[in-house]
Structures are given as structure tokens and as C-alpha cells.
Amino acid sequence: MGEHEEKHEESLMVKLAEKIHGHDSSSDSDIDEPSESSIKAKVFRLFGRERSVHHVFGGGKSADTFLWRNKKISAGVLGVATVIWVLFELLEYHLLTLVCHVLIFALVILFLWSNAYAFINKSPLCIREVHIPKDPVIEFAEALRFETNLAFTVFRDIASGRDLKKFLYVIAGLWILSIVGSWCNFVTLFYIVFVLLHTVPVLYEKYEDKVDPFAEKAMHEIKKQYAVFNANVLNKIPRGPSKEKKKD
């Protein structure tokens, strides 16, 4: 009986140790799981975005077009832009000449179509009246006015000299844009930007998990070089009075 009791006690101790060990391992796994989720939550995204690429582009029809959600519409828009670029660049059409030729072609087709019904004893073609609605024009004008005033405000803040970092970014961007503008005219530059908007976002959305790690390394190196440049050069440049000093 004594030996049986000892064996029973040993089996209870073994079961108790297994339960304690299982509880520890489950608690360790519970501790590890949030750390993994927090690591996933802190994944670097280009430009510090927290939303999807579709939401960055507005999440509407324009985003669907840029990201090729509807391939027919996206291909049609890109095809029309390509035709316009070919007409102006390769065929060297001028805007006024193109508009006049399109109007002549449309008027001739509609005129012949309307008068053809007299020879076949049918009612003439009814051409509908076209009116430009008032509300979209007013909304577009208001949006244009708001964006123009915002651009003037940003230009004033940059020119005031309070933010040297932003000033250097804008100067570098305008300088690069002027170099690109010297290589091609406005129509070609607009077409290149239009094509990039219809290709780069959809490729980035597809391969963002591979692009973001390289972008993180590049941004880290840029910040490192900027810190050195800021310490050696920018901090030695006198700056304009800040807003707080002006208020005082």
C-alpha cells in the first residue's frame, strides 16, 4: 500500500509539473504573439503612409483608373492620352488646327446625316441641345481658387526663411524640374507624368512588400547624410525670425 501511495503521489506531481509547464509555454506564446503583431504594425511604408495605395489616391474612380481596377477604362484613358501626344508631337499638330479640324469633321458628318433623311422619306435627325451645368463649374472654380491661395500661402512661408529644410527641398525640386523641362516640351512632360501615374502606382501596389525595405534603407541613408549636412552647413546659416519672436 505504501508503495502504491508513493507511485500515486509521483504521478500527481508529474501531472502538476506538466500543467505548470504547459501554462508557462502558453503564456510565453501569448507574450510573443502581440510582439509579432506589433512588429507587423510597425512595418515601414513609403512616405510614412498608414493607408492603402487606393486610399492615398482618393479611393474613388480616379484611384480605380490609376490602379487599373477597370482595365478597359484605364486602357482607354491611356490610349486617348497617347493619341493626343502623337498628334501634337509626332504629327506636329497645333491646338487651334486640331480643334478646327475636329469641328469641321463633326459638322460635316452631322450635316450630311441630317439631310440624308430627306432622300429616304424619314424624319430628320434630332440633335440634342448641350448645356454646361452651373454647379460643377462653380465647384471647380472654388477648388481652383482654394488651391491657388494655398499655393501662395506655402510660397510665402517658404520665402520667409523660417523653414530652411523645406526651402532647400523646394529649390532642389524646382531645379530638377527645370532640367527635365529643358529636355522636352510641356506636352511631352505632361504625357510622361500621365504615363507614370498609370504605371508606377499599380506596380508599387503589386510589389510594395519588396520595395518598402529598399525605400527604408534609402530613407535612413538620406536622413543620415542630411544630419551631417545640417550639422556642418545649415546650422551655420543665419535664419529669419520665428513666429514666436514676432509675437513677442
Side-chain angles (χ1 to χ4, degrees), residues 92-122:
E92 296 182 353
Y93 253 94
H94 296 286
L95 179 61
L96 183 60
T97 304
L98 179 62
V99 172
C100 291
H101 286 178
V102 170
L103 290 176
I104 290 171
F105 180 77
L107 287 173
V108 169
I109 293 298
L110 291 175
F111 181 82
L112 294 176
W113 196 355
S114 300
N115 288 277
Y117 284 88
F119 298 98
I120 57 178
N121 297 323
K122 288 187 178 182

Side-chain angles (χ1 to χ4, degrees), residues 147-159:
E147 294 296 335
T148 303
N149 291 334
L150 181 62
F152 284 141
T153 303
V154 173
F155 181 82
R156 179 178 176 274
D157 291 339
I158 293 172

Side-chain angles (χ1 to χ4, degrees), residues 56-70:
V56 170
F57 279 92
K61 293 182 179 180
S62 59
D64 293 339
T65 303
F66 289 134
L67 297 176
W68 293 75
R69 295 289 191 267
N70 191 328

